[in-house]
Amino acid sequence: MPAAAEPTTHPCAEDLDLAEVLAALGHPVRLEIVRKLASGEETFCGEVVPDLPRSSVTHHLKTLREGGVICQRPQGRKLYLALRRDDLELRFPGLLELVLACRSRPLDSECDEQPL
C-alpha cells in the first residue's frame, strides 16, 4: 500500500522571515512566478510555469512556499497556487509592491517606479 502524501505546510504569517522571503524572491524564475500570481487569483501551477521541467518547478515552488511567499492547495491531481499578498504586506509593509515594481535589469539600473 503506498504511503499517503504529507500535507503541504506553510509558515504562519508571524513566522515569516525577511531573509527567507528575499531568498525565495532572489531567483528570476521564482520572481516571474510571483509576478504571474500578483493578480491575486488562485492559479493552476501548470498555467504559471508551463515550460520548465517538472523537477525545476517542484524546487521553485517549494522554495517559494517554505519562504512564505506562496501557498499551495492540492485539489485532486492539480495543485493551485496563490500569492500570500496579505501576509507579506502585514509582516513586511511595501516589500511585495517594491519587488513587483522592479523589473529584471542589470544591477546598476533603477526600478521602473521609485518608492515614495
Side-chain angles (χ1 to χ4, degrees):
M1 182 183 274
E6 290 185 26
T8 303
T9 59
H10 304 88
C12 297
E14 60 270 5
D15 293 336
L16 295 181
D17 179 73
L18 181 60
E20 290 179 23
V21 170
L22 292 174
L25 294 170
H27 189 280
V29 170
R30 293 191 292 267
L31 192 54
E32 188 58 31
I33 292 169
V34 169
R35 285 192 177 113
K36 288 179 179 180
L37 295 173
S39 70
E41 301 274 329
E42 191 175 60
T43 306
F44 169 57
C45 76
E47 297 171 353
V48 176
V49 282
D51 300 330
L52 289 179
R54 184 179 227 164
S55 60
S56 294
V57 171
T58 300
H59 167 73
H60 290 304
L61 295 181
K62 178 181 178 187
T63 302
L64 287 168
R65 186 188 76 245
E66 290 179 350
V69 178
I70 66 168
C71 60
Q72 297 177 318
R73 181 182 63 81
Q75 182 174 344
R77 297 182 63 119
K78 291 186 175 184
L79 183 65
Y80 289 89
L81 311 172
L83 187 60
R84 293 181 65 183
R85 184 181 288 273
D86 292 342
D87 291 341
L88 290 167
E89 185 62 26
L90 179 67
R91 188 79 171 98
F92 309 110
L95 175 66
L96 190 58
E97 290 307 316
L98 180 62
V99 168
L100 291 172
C102 292
R103 299 287 179 231
S104 297
R105 296 180 180 206
L107 293 176
D108 60 345
S109 64
E110 302 272 334
C111 288
D112 290 342
E113 299 175 14
Q114 296 296 320
L116 298 176

